DNA sequence: TCACAAAATGGAAATGATTATCATTTCCAA
DNA sequence: TTGGAAATGATAATCATTTCCATTTTGTGA
């Protein structure tokens, strides 16, 4: 956890939602921070490894990042406005575990996201 | 629906699972078809528009395509050898539907994949 | 069969995100 | 203060995807 990591966390806290590496870099630059794009990518990578931020993908494949809470959760993402709701995923955990056992897999992780159009859009 | 579209559908039928545009192009080339990469991308795009194939994303953001078949299923992927098992996802369908309803989302789709190490690796 | 316009094609260049390289700077403990 | 490890950032490289544009194929009416 170094200075850059903390800067990124601060911006993510401030902005609240998801942001791409490029956007985060621009925000910091705009605020007068001379941080380099490389460092932004590196910091985000290490934050993802440490499970401090979530990484998911926009529809065009661009990576977007967001602070994650302490609990493991999934996302319900609006394709219209990008608004996101964190949801409970107990059923998924159980499903992933069951399936993995059935086929003899170990060190299992999973991804699960729901996409749709929210009531406002 | 033109000749290229049909070629792509044929390959996707044959291979069964997911494949990226680059992979599909290579497969066709290997089989002696001189199809261009541009045409592969174009055909896939139009098949997605016509809802004949699904587009989703690998973990690194690369687009992968599959025929939207009769049954919707999920994958258990080995991080070691890439071997993939198609699995039943009834629990997930229910979960996605329930969550979407709860938060007033419509036109809902979802992704769910399990990653792990298979017994051989 | 022929001519011709529209559609399809594919190579090459452009684009845009992400990663690798590497020289320089900052940090920190001894 | 100093030596070395970690952090930094500019630049170049990589890789999927798109755009451009010239050429080829196809379908259709004469």
């Amino acid at each position: 956890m170094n200075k850059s990591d903390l800067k990124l966390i601060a911006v993510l806290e401030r902005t609240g939602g998801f942001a791409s590496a490029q956007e985060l870099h621009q925000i910091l630059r705009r605020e007068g921070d001379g941080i380099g794009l490389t460092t932004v990518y590196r910091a985000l990578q290490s934050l993802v490894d440490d499970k401090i931020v979530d990484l998911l993908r926009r529809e065009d494949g661009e990576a977007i990042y967001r602070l994650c809470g302490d609990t493991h959760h999934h996302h319900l993402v609006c394709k219209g406005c990008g608004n996101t709701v964190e949801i409970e995923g107990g059923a998924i955990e159980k499903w992933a575990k069951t399936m993995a056992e059935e086929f003899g897999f170990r060190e299992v992780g999973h991804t699960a996201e729901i996409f749709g159009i929210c009531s406002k859009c």
Side-chain angles (χ1 to χ4, degrees), chain A:
Chain A
M1 179 73 65
N2 58 32
K3 212 174 285 183
S4 302
D5 291 6
L6 294 172
K7 282 182 197 169
L8 267 300
I9 291 175
V11 176
L12 284 167
E13 271 174 351
R14 195 139 23 86
T15 60
F18 289 102
S20 70
Q22 307 276 349
E23 289 164 354
L24 291 166
H25 180 233
Q26 278 176 36
I27 290 171
L28 281 165
R29 282 290 175 112
R30 208 177 303 134
E31 294 173 357
D33 192 314
I35 193 169
L37 185 55
T38 309
T39 304
V40 170
Y41 274 105
R42 244 186 317 238
L44 288 170
Q45 185 60 60
S46 97
L47 290 170
V48 168
D49 290 345
D50 296 347
K51 305 202 193 310
I52 294 168
V53 313
D54 280 338
L55 182 169
L56 52 143
R57 301 265 165 198
R58 277 205 239 275
E59 276 194 283
D60 69 351
E62 186 178 3
I64 49 180
Y65 303 85
R66 181 193 195 195
L67 280 182
C68 54
D70 11 41
T71 59
H72 178 72
H73 56 254
H74 296 276
H75 295 103
L76 177 51
V77 183
C78 176
K79 288 190 278 195
C81 61
N83 185 34
T84 300
V85 183
E86 288 187 4
I87 52 182
E88 174 57 28
I92 305 308
E93 318 299 322
K94 213 171 296 171
W95 171 73
K97 206 172 152 208
T98 305
M99 290 300 161
E101 270 169 15
E102 181 171 334
F103 292 97
F105 277 54
R106 53 214 157 73
E107 293 178 40
V108 185
H110 64 271
T111 68
E113 311 294 338
I114 310 180
F115 299 93
I117 309 286
C118 78
S119 50
K120 287 180 197 154
C121 291

